[in-house]
Amino acid sequence: MTWEWLIKIVQNNWPSFLRGAWATLYISIIGTILGSLIGLLIGTIRTIPMPDRGLKRIVLKISNVILSMYVEFFRGTPMIVQAMVIFYGSAMAFGIDMDRTIAAIFIVSINTGAYTAEIVRGGIISIDKGQFEAAHAIGMNHTKTMLHVVLPQVLRNILPPMGNEFVINIKDTSVLNVIAVSELFFTTKSVAGNNYRYFEAFFVASILYLIMTLTVTRILRFIERRLDGPENYNIIPGNQMQVERPEDLLHKDKSNTKTGI
Amino acid sequence: MENVIEIRHLRKSFGTNEILKDIDFNVRKGEVVCIIGASGSGKSTLLRCINLLEKPSGGEIIYNGENILDDKHDIFAYRTKLGMVFQQFNLFNNHDVLSNCMVGQIKVLKRSKEQAKEVAMKYLTVVGMDQYINAKPKQLSGGQKQRVAIARALSMEPDVLLFDEPTSALDPEMVGEVLAVMKELAQSGLTMLVVTHEMGFASEVADRVVFMDKGVIAEEGSPEQIFNHPTQERTKEFLKRVLR
Ligand SMILES: Nc1ncnc2c1ncn2[C@@H]1O[C@H](COP(=O)(O)OP(=O)(O)OP(=O)(O)O)[C@@H](O)[C@H]1O
Ligand SMILES: [Mg+2]
């Protein structure tokens, strides 16, 4: 490797590199977001308590089988193979030539969905049973319990593995070059080929990948810390209600409820 | 006095293991009932059956003249009428103290935010936690958590408050503050059903004490009757063991 070549490659091809990096970034961002939503939905559905009987039970049973097949299939096969099957399969089945970027986002999304469905399911299962019981005890049904008590905690807890998925996606979009999506790996390959300088071109690409993954990791750390809120709380001094004694308040409340207010 | 809850022939089995056998008893309005008994006698199961956290295997639970075990009954509406205080507090970890007391009011009772806040503040003041409204559950001591849990239950303004060993998970020095709050609530005329190992509390505060043994109510009566003149042999044995 020579510094001259490295500098020359960057100077002559930086728009290609940036375009590739940008494609990689937005395919993995959109793919991760859509995939997380799919995973959230599926993970939540798969943890719905099974009713004792009735139509609901049958519907839930069938959808659980389908969803677990989906999860198993996409976790059990390489994304590079999925890309080929989906892209060429759709061309064969429907005679359509899928837009390559849309195909890329589609593949990353459903692949991420399969992984995050399990992350979400694990996150829900690991929430203390007492949280569910306390929510039920104040009259929340399953949906309200999930929305207002369980899922917010799950989302916080699964942020690190979700961030991990994002980082994996940034790297793994490189396999999409097999369906000629012009992400960073693909553009780097053509830069390298045009100049016959493989090492230098891919060295630049590796730096770009590293910048993207490190930035994403930092941003996610920051979000985690923000979500956790301040370490300490402030005591609210001197509440105006304290002029009344607690007992008085209770008695007053009793008379209030009797008169139906 | 009118009955708030009537329990008739209540049975509960886990598999082939029969935990509650033909339980019959009533809770009257304004009454404080303490349930005592050995570990494993079914006290928690009884309480959890009453608010349907466990599904009873048989029998009836009559509330407002209706058997809430009928299929058509809206169990969610029924549960808002019963407050539950757990041994492990079970405060919502994603909500701060104030929000713990508001979320049920807003999402279940459909109260406005302002009204919910006002009610929550009132009961947080009752339990002496009004200064901690911004704290997250994990930042509180056990006694503080339990007092917030009591305020959360009160904020729903239920007809009955159920307590399942509310002080058993607390360090000894925090038991007092929670019992003091409960005593105050009892004196204010609240209807309470309390499973407890605190015999002092039961004898001082209860209107009626129920002694459970192996899934049946072995004996019930006033604290004076149960603690000083028990008639059943197993009650005497149990008391001898715990009052030692
Ligand atoms: N979900 C369950 N599945 C099977 N058995 C259970 C379940 N819950 C409780 N039991 C059994 O029911 C019996 C009564 O339990 P319960 O918790 O009601 O007792 P308790 O009187 O509250 O005891 P403690 O004073 O220790 O809290 C115990 O033998 C327990 O093992
Ligand atoms: Mg118990």
Side-chain angles (χ1 to χ4, degrees):
Chain A
M1 132 155 171
T2 55
W3 275 111
E4 292 84 72
W5 264 110
L6 197 64
I7 289 162
K8 209 164 138 194
I9 289 236
V10 172
Q11 267 174 350
N12 295 340
N13 300 287
W14 63 266
S16 297
F17 280 119
L18 283 191
R19 235 181 296 121
W22 171 240
T24 288
L25 200 58
Y26 81 68
I27 290 170
S28 43
I29 289 178
I30 298 175
T32 306
I33 291 173
L34 291 181
S36 302
L37 292 177
I38 294 172
L40 197 60
L41 194 67
I42 293 177
T44 309
I45 292 173
R46 296 228 297 169
T47 53
I48 295 175
M50 193 57 79
D52 289 338
R53 59 192 115 83
L55 184 67
K56 249 181 163 174
R57 182 183 168 88
I58 298 167
V59 172
L60 199 56
K61 277 242 155 120
I62 293 171
S63 73
N64 277 347
V65 169
I66 294 170
L67 293 178
S68 81
M69 272 162 48
Y70 159 73
V71 169
E72 297 302 339
F73 178 80
F74 283 95
R75 293 209 315 169
T77 55
M79 190 157 87
I80 192 165
V81 175
Q82 295 162 16
M84 301 295 265
V85 170
I86 288 171
F87 186 69
Y88 293 106
S90 70
M92 218 164 67
F94 311 108
I96 45 162
D97 213 6
M98 258 175 125
D99 178 87
R100 281 163 207 275
T101 309
I102 290 178
I105 290 173
F106 181 74
I107 291 158
V108 175
S109 300
I110 52 176
N111 194 278
T112 308
Y115 278 93
T116 52
E118 284 302 280
I119 296 176
V120 170
R121 197 169 72 92
I124 293 172
I125 291 173
S126 69
I127 296 289
D128 180 24
K129 232 178 96 212
Q131 298 285 308
F132 289 86
E133 292 189 343
H136 292 158
I138 59 172
M140 288 190 182
N141 57 22
H142 182 71
T143 309
K144 285 177 186 166
T145 303
M146 293 307 280
L147 282 178
H148 306 300
V149 176
V150 176
L151 286 181
Q153 297 181 45
V154 170
L155 290 182
R156 168 62 192 92
N157 293 345
I158 66 175
L159 208 57
M162 289 295 216
N164 199 31
E165 279 299 311
F166 191 6
V167 169
I168 288 173
N169 281 342
I170 289 174
K171 296 186 294 179
D172 282 4
T173 46
S174 59
V175 306
L176 296 171
N177 81 87
V178 296
I179 56 167
V181 176
S182 46
E183 40 67 56
L184 183 54
F185 185 90
F186 188 81
T187 51
T188 306
K189 213 166 62 175
S190 52
V191 168
N194 292 341
N195 298 283
Y196 299 103
R197 303 305 297 194
Y198 284 85
F199 175 77
E200 287 82 356
F202 279 99
F203 185 77
V204 175
S206 69
I207 300 285
L208 289 173
Y209 276 115
L210 200 58
I211 291 173
M212 287 192 277
T213 53
L214 288 181
T215 312
V216 164
T217 320
R218 293 294 131 81
I219 291 173
L220 286 167
R221 285 274 156 69
F222 175 76
I223 294 174
E224 275 170 43
R225 273 203 306 272
R226 284 292 297 269
L227 283 181
D228 286 344
E231 293 267 330
N232 306 308
Y233 56 87
N234 295 317
I235 297 231
I236 315 293
N239 191 293
Q240 70 274 23
M241 290 200 194
Q242 268 173 343
V243 286
E244 292 175 279
R245 284 178 29 250
E247 303 91 299
D248 301 336
L249 280 167
L250 265 175
H251 290 304
K252 217 168 79 185
D253 165 60
K254 287 254 144 185
S255 50
N256 275 352
T257 41
K258 275 206 194 91
T259 53
I261 300 172
Chain B
M1 261 303 208
E2 74 184 282
N3 288 327
V4 182
I5 295 177
E6 297 173 25
I7 290 162
R8 294 188 193 145
H9 307 299
L10 189 76
R11 286 184 295 106
K12 173 67 186 175
S13 308
F14 291 109
T16 55
N17 198 1
E18 194 169 34
I19 306 300
L20 297 178
K21 304 162 188 159
D22 201 22
I23 301 276
D24 266 299
F25 94 115
N26 302 328
V27 182
R28 287 185 279 275
K29 199 168 162 67
E31 190 183 34
V32 177
V33 181
C34 285
I35 303 178
I36 61 172
S39 183
S41 56
K43 306 180 299 293
S44 299
T45 306
L46 174 59
L47 220 56
R48 293 165 57 81
C49 279
I50 291 178
N51 71 358
L52 304 180
L53 286 178
E54 301 287 356
K55 196 167 183 281
S57 311
E60 296 181 336
I61 298 174
I62 312 289
Y63 170 78
N64 269 346
E66 287 180 62
N67 178 17
I68 51 121
L69 295 182
D70 281 348
D71 270 351
K72 58 176 174 24
H73 214 93
D74 180 0
I75 66 167
F76 301 107
Y78 164 71
R79 279 190 181 133
T80 64
K81 297 298 181 185
L82 310 182
M84 178 86 170
V85 177
F86 298 88
Q87 183 174 348
Q88 299 297 338
F89 330 124
N90 295 343
L91 290 181
F92 301 136
N93 293 324
N94 57 319
H95 293 275
D96 64 19
V97 165
L98 180 61
S99 174
N100 257 282
C101 299
M102 287 172 62
V103 63
Q105 298 187 62
I106 295 171
K107 302 301 177 188
V108 180
L109 300 180
K110 306 288 180 200
R111 288 183 182 157
S112 70
K113 267 210 172 99
E114 297 71 41
Q115 194 191 358
K117 181 169 180 187
E118 197 178 311
V119 172
M121 285 308 297
K122 178 167 78 185
Y123 291 111
L124 283 167
T125 309
V126 168
V127 301
M129 287 299 291
D130 51 320
Q131 300 195 324
Y132 296 85
I133 53 174
N134 293 327
K136 282 286 179 101
K138 65 171 183 223
Q139 297 165 321
L140 300 176
S141 74
Q144 292 174 325
K145 281 186 211 173
Q146 197 59 300
R147 287 189 280 145
V148 174
I150 293 172
R152 173 177 68 183
L154 286 170
S155 295
M156 300 296 284
E157 305 191 306
D159 289 343
V160 195
L161 221 46
L162 312 177
F163 295 80
D164 189 5
E165 299 192 30
T167 58
S168 294
L170 297 176
D171 289 338
E173 70 265 31
M174 293 169 190
V175 170
E177 68 187 59
V178 172
L179 289 183
V181 166
M182 290 172 61
K183 214 159 116 184
E184 211 168 80
L185 295 177
Q187 282 158 3
S188 78
L190 215 68
T191 312
M192 292 165 54
L193 184 55
V194 186
V195 172
T196 185
H197 287 300
E198 296 286 336
M199 297 304 148
F201 176 84
S203 69
E204 192 184 343
V205 177
D207 297 308
R208 190 152 51 100
V209 175
V210 172
F211 170 66
M212 280 187 70
D213 184 49
K214 300 196 181 74
V216 297
I217 293 180
E219 186 167 1
E220 63 180 304
S222 69
E224 158 74 8
Q225 274 169 340
I226 298 292
F227 289 113
N228 297 338
H229 311 288
T231 59
Q232 302 284 319
E233 212 41 56
R234 38 190 179 171
T235 316
K236 289 177 193 168
E237 257 169 50
F238 170 75
L239 289 173
K240 209 161 73 191
R241 252 186 302 131
V242 296
L243 292 179
R244 227 174 359 112

